[in-house]
Amino acid sequence: MTIKDIARLSGYSVATVSRALNSHPDISEAARAKILEVVAQQDFQPNNNAKHLKQQADTGVAIVVKGIMNLLFAELVERVQDLLQSAGQEASVHYLDEDANEVVYACHLCRERKPRGILFLGGDLELFRAGFAPITVPCVLLTNSARELGFANLSSFTTDDAAAAAQVIGLLADKGHRSIGVLGGNFSCSQISFRRLTGCKEAFARLGIPFDEALQYEPCRYSMRDAYAATRRLLERSPGLTALFAVGDVIAMGAVRALRDLGRRVPDDLSVVGYDGVEMSRYTVPRLTTVRQDVTALAERGVDDLLRRIGWNRPPVHEVIPFRMIDGESVAGPAAEKGRGPEPSRP
Amino acid sequence: MTIKDIARLSGYSVATVSRALNSHPDISEAARAKILEVVAQQDFQPNNNAKHLKQQADTGVAIVVKGIMNLLFAELVERVQDLLQSAGQEASVHYLDEDANEVVYACHLCRERKPRGILFLGGDLELFRAGFAPITVPCVLLTNSARELGFANLSSFTTDDAAAAAQVIGLLADKGHRSIGVLGGNFSCSQISFRRLTGCKEAFARLGIPFDEALQYEPCRYSMRDAYAATRRLLERSPGLTALFAVGDVIAMGAVRALRDLGRRVPDDLSVVGYDGVEMSRYTVPRLTTVRQDVTALAERGVDDLLRRIGWNRPPVHEVIPFRMIDGESVAGPAAEKGRGPEPSRP
DNA sequence: CTGAAAGCGCTTACAG
DNA sequence: CTGAAAGCGCTTACAG
């Protein structure tokens, strides 16, 4: 069953069938009705290979998600899809592995699917720097800033990770913590992890709180299993820590479990702060105190800017979206009064 | 940059370039080497639209995942991909929404991508019954049994959900529970939820434990948020329950949180059992007692059978894969000794 | 082993 | 508003 069959059955030419199928304006109501009737009756689906092979430009936008199991992106993609749909825009979602090359993938997409615009959920700046140039359609990067790259067709919207991390440290300091560990960060979004760690260091310096990166920082991937092992390593090195900042909620969950298994209760013995404020963080025991990235605003600003730039050829923008702290049950004062000393011991 | 450019640059015809690109046997080593050199140097990527438009059959198998955020499927897809890769089989993963029509999607795939075989992770039997007939390549359905459908090219491998559910009830009964609630089950995998509930009912009947479905069963989707609300509804109706069987780990997590917020501690006041045994269930507080679906065996048997049937035209098989219980920290005896009465009150 | 040529199923100027 | 025809970039008999 091809477009030729529909042409034969409807009594029109393949050209007219194609026009009806693609809601082309230059077609009579009679032709459209007749053709769509036959199409419906035959349950005809056009072959997308042929369609995209010939078609100059697709009508929809592509959403490229970097990290199939990323809970924050899952929430973002849902919002973004809703917004796009409300705007009458078709959207196709493409899920990539966490350590795939999203820019190379997007190049493919442009050659083979020719979307009107691309929305990246997560992205590695180095990959953009190296490979984004061939992409000419309007693009938006969410959760990372692309300002420094200076591409004329790439906007970005991001949370101020450094400021948020600094605020976390400030919050823990306010509670009286002076021995704070930092947990997590990995390759596939190195800049983001780096910004969060940098924010921590600045806060430590400003507050006069000691921080020995070699002793008090432990990287790990965004997985509970990895976080669990990393927490044990960190606590073995620095048993005197009274608080942990996990740079992701998933990491925080692994940390909480590891601490319990080490006989440390959260928050009684150790406080834990997460990052992202994903739905799951509202259902853990204890509920996480965490930085909430404003998923709604990120999605709205991203979609709005993308559609605006698809319609009119405007310069890209780079915005910082405010975050907020969510109070949970995973932070308390240090357990010094319970007889624990004021570590970590520094040489 | 198309295959024609490569032909020109390498001094061969497009036909020979195509052969080199597709590792066709009838090509000289000299031609292959020269062409692949030019291809590498130009970083040429063939256009898949054209490729699939013309190509009779793809070389790879397709994995169709029903439920983008399903943690069990996430583990399965990882295993399946590894196995396929070890077998030298190319694989493409297709993520569908939980309530998408996987069979319609697979039909598309067959027309446009022509895979050698399809592996379904999750699937609704009714959709298969209604739409699977046009699909002619060997297929495998994982986590649901397709035996009753009798398709000549569809195998299936599944956990014995009814038996597992019955064993859960048996375990709770052994601990002394007589007032057990059942939580969860939804549309997109109705048969599976139904089998688990059926298993429970059989166990209740066999053990002589009262079970009033209207009072003690509450359906919900596989999400923490839904499970949270459902748990509150269930406990409001039947405050005397001493144990809950959540038919998914994600549901169990929402339930645990809801119970805490109701002032009931797990397992001290109420026991909770999950289902699936996903990685997350090992990191919750408390760790879940749960039914572990044998992800490794499901993946191995599924891939093995699919490849076997792709190679030789053999009849499909329908196998039940053993499960096992994982002991966690979420089950204890009923809290009767703490002064709670032996409910639920039955009229 | 290699090439010339047909054709996959569409879209899109172009002409009417 | 409609149709005839060219062509998107590949693969694949077919002939040599």
Side-chain angles (χ1 to χ4, degrees):
Chain A
M1 176 70 49
T2 76
I3 205 176
K4 271 173 111 165
D5 300 303
I6 304 298
R8 185 169 39 74
L9 260 29
S10 65
Y12 286 90
S13 71
V14 293
T16 303
V17 172
S18 174
R19 291 191 188 97
L21 250 18
N22 294 289
S23 321
H24 198 93
D26 287 352
I27 183 174
S28 69
E29 196 42 58
R32 181 203 310 290
K34 176 62 184 169
I35 290 168
L36 292 185
E37 181 200 323
V38 174
V39 164
Q41 164 195 319
Q42 299 292 321
D43 193 26
F44 170 71
Q45 309 267 115
N47 184 310
N48 282 310
N49 293 316
K51 185 184 176 81
H52 289 114
L53 179 57
K54 190 70 180 93
Q55 203 167 236
Q56 305 286 355
D58 191 18
T59 53
V61 311
I63 305 169
V64 175
V65 185
K66 182 170 189 169
I68 179 73
M69 276 294 127
N70 186 313
L71 296 174
L72 184 75
F73 292 168
E75 294 182 12
L76 267 173
V77 77
E78 200 173 324
R79 286 280 165 78
V80 162
Q81 281 191 112
D82 284 352
L83 291 166
L84 251 12
Q85 192 172 352
S86 307
Q89 252 309 329
E90 289 168 47
S92 58
V93 188
H94 304 261
Y95 291 98
L96 268 51
D97 214 71
E98 193 174 44
D99 30 47
N101 187 325
E102 67 276 10
V103 183
V104 165
Y105 186 87
C107 286
H108 261 270
L109 221 47
C110 287
R111 225 172 325 120
E112 298 185 358
R113 245 52 186 180
K114 309 180 189 80
R116 300 179 66 193
I118 305 177
L119 201 73
F120 291 92
L121 268 47
D124 186 325
L125 292 193
E126 291 318 312
L127 298 177
F128 276 75
R129 197 193 307 280
F132 186 77
I135 297 178
T136 54
V137 293
C139 293
V140 165
L141 172 59
L142 255 32
T143 74
N144 206 350
S145 173
R147 165 171 280 137
E148 60 175 276
L149 301 181
F151 288 113
N153 58 328
L154 179 60
S155 289
S156 63
F157 300 88
T158 182
T159 297
D160 190 342
D161 288 305
Q167 190 162 321
V168 167
I169 301 305
L171 176 134
L172 290 171
D174 281 352
K175 293 278 183 186
H177 292 280
R178 305 274 302 168
S179 301
I180 303 170
V182 179
L183 198 59
N186 68 356
F187 301 119
S188 74
C189 40
S190 44
Q191 300 94 8
I192 291 176
S193 308
F194 180 76
R195 282 205 303 273
R196 293 179 191 169
L197 181 58
T198 302
C200 290
K201 288 194 216 165
E202 285 167 6
F204 284 132
R206 190 174 59 245
L207 297 165
I209 295 177
F211 182 71
D212 181 341
E213 189 168 334
L215 281 175
Q216 293 170 255
Y217 170 67
E218 181 71 27
C220 68
R221 293 177 64 95
Y222 287 76
S223 87
M224 294 182 196
R225 176 194 295 268
D226 243 45
Y228 185 89
T231 303
R232 298 191 75 123
R233 285 196 300 274
L234 184 58
L235 266 287
E236 190 147 335
R237 275 212 306 277
S238 303
L241 295 173
T242 64
L244 247 40
F245 172 35
V247 305
D249 290 334
V250 166
I251 297 175
M253 253 195 89
V256 166
R257 185 67 252 183
L259 291 171
R260 286 221 107 185
D261 291 347
L262 289 167
R264 314 283 203 99
R265 307 200 339 166
V266 179
D268 313 49
D269 302 324
L270 253 107
S271 294
V272 172
V273 179
Y275 200 104
D276 287 341
V278 296
E279 185 171 299
M280 184 183 68
S281 70
R282 305 299 90 214
Y283 295 92
T284 55
V285 176
R287 277 195 181 84
L288 295 177
T289 294
T290 184
V291 174
R292 171 66 175 167
Q293 295 208 55
D294 192 339
V295 170
T296 304
L298 283 164
E300 280 176 0
R301 294 294 302 120
V303 168
D304 186 64
D305 176 72
L306 186 66
L307 295 183
R308 189 186 308 276
R309 288 191 298 122
I310 285 175
W312 308 277
N313 194 24
R314 298 172 57 145
V317 303
H318 301 280
E319 276 180 26
V320 170
I321 304 289
F323 59 89
R324 69 168 210 276
M325 292 293 308
I326 301 186
D327 274 341
E329 310 158 335
S330 62
V331 169
E337 67 274 16
K338 296 186 183 173
R340 211 172 287 288
E343 305 208 28
S345 54
R346 287 167 62 81
Chain B
M1 175 70 48
T2 76
I3 207 177
K4 271 172 113 166
D5 300 301
I6 303 298
R8 185 169 38 75
L9 259 30
S10 65
Y12 286 90
S13 70
V14 292
T16 304
V17 171
S18 174
R19 290 191 188 98
L21 251 16
N22 294 290
S23 321
H24 197 94
D26 287 351
I27 183 175
S28 69
E29 195 44 57
R32 181 201 311 289
K34 176 62 183 168
I35 289 168
L36 293 185
E37 182 199 323
V38 174
V39 164
Q41 164 195 320
Q42 299 292 321
D43 193 26
F44 170 71
Q45 309 267 115
N47 185 311
N48 282 311
N49 294 315
K51 185 185 174 80
H52 289 114
L53 179 57
K54 190 68 179 97
Q55 203 167 236
Q56 306 287 353
D58 191 17
T59 52
V61 312
I63 305 169
V64 174
V65 184
K66 181 167 189 169
I68 179 73
M69 277 294 127
N70 186 312
L71 296 173
L72 185 75
F73 292 168
E75 294 182 13
L76 267 173
V77 77
E78 200 173 326
R79 286 280 164 77
V80 163
Q81 279 191 112
D82 284 352
L83 290 166
L84 250 13
Q85 193 172 352
S86 307
Q89 252 307 330
E90 289 168 47
S92 59
V93 188
H94 305 261
Y95 291 98
L96 268 50
D97 214 71
E98 194 174 43
D99 31 49
N101 187 325
E102 67 276 10
V103 181
V104 165
Y105 185 88
C107 286
H108 261 270
L109 221 48
C110 288
R111 224 171 326 120
E112 298 185 358
R113 246 53 188 177
K114 309 181 189 79
R116 300 178 66 193
I118 305 176
L119 201 73
F120 291 92
L121 268 49
D124 185 324
L125 292 194
E126 291 318 313
L127 298 178
F128 276 75
R129 198 192 306 280
F132 186 77
I135 297 177
T136 54
V137 294
C139 293
V140 166
L141 173 60
L142 254 34
T143 75
N144 206 350
S145 173
R147 165 170 279 138
E148 60 175 275
L149 301 182
F151 288 112
N153 57 328
L154 179 60
S155 288
S156 63
F157 299 88
T158 183
T159 297
D160 190 342
D161 289 305
Q167 190 163 322
V168 168
I169 301 305
L171 175 134
L172 290 172
D174 281 351
K175 293 280 184 183
H177 293 281
R178 305 274 304 170
S179 302
I180 303 170
V182 179
L183 198 58
N186 68 356
F187 301 119
S188 75
C189 39
S190 43
Q191 300 93 8
I192 292 175
S193 308
F194 180 76
R195 281 205 304 273
R196 293 180 192 169
L197 181 58
T198 301
C200 291
K201 288 196 219 164
E202 285 167 6
F204 284 132
R206 190 174 60 245
L207 297 165
I209 295 177
F211 181 71
D212 180 341
E213 189 168 336
L215 280 174
Q216 292 171 256
Y217 170 67
E218 181 71 28
C220 68
R221 292 178 65 93
Y222 287 75
S223 87
M224 294 182 195
R225 176 194 295 269
D226 244 45
Y228 185 89
T231 303
R232 297 191 75 123
R233 285 196 300 274
L234 184 58
L235 266 288
E236 191 148 335
R237 275 212 307 276
S238 304
L241 295 173
T242 63
L244 248 41
F245 172 36
V247 305
D249 290 335
V250 167
I251 297 175
M253 253 195 88
V256 166
R257 185 67 251 184
L259 291 171
R260 286 220 107 185
D261 290 348
L262 289 168
R264 314 282 203 98
R265 305 196 348 160
V266 178
D268 312 48
D269 301 325
L270 251 106
S271 293
V272 172
V273 180
Y275 200 105
D276 286 343
V278 295
E279 185 171 300
M280 184 183 69
S281 71
R282 304 299 90 215
Y283 294 93
T284 55
V285 176
R287 277 194 181 86
L288 295 177
T289 294
T290 184
V291 174
R292 171 66 175 166
Q293 296 208 54
D294 193 339
V295 169
T296 304
L298 282 165
E300 280 175 0
R301 294 294 302 120
V303 168
D304 185 65
D305 175 72
L306 186 66
L307 295 183
R308 188 185 309 276
R309 288 192 297 122
I310 285 174
W312 308 276
N313 194 24
R314 297 171 58 147
V317 302
H318 301 280
E319 276 179 26
V320 169
I321 303 289
F323 59 89
R324 69 169 210 276
M325 292 294 306
I326 302 186
D327 274 340
E329 310 157 337
S330 62
V331 169
E337 68 272 17
K338 295 185 185 176
R340 210 172 289 286
E343 306 207 27
S345 54
R346 286 167 63 83

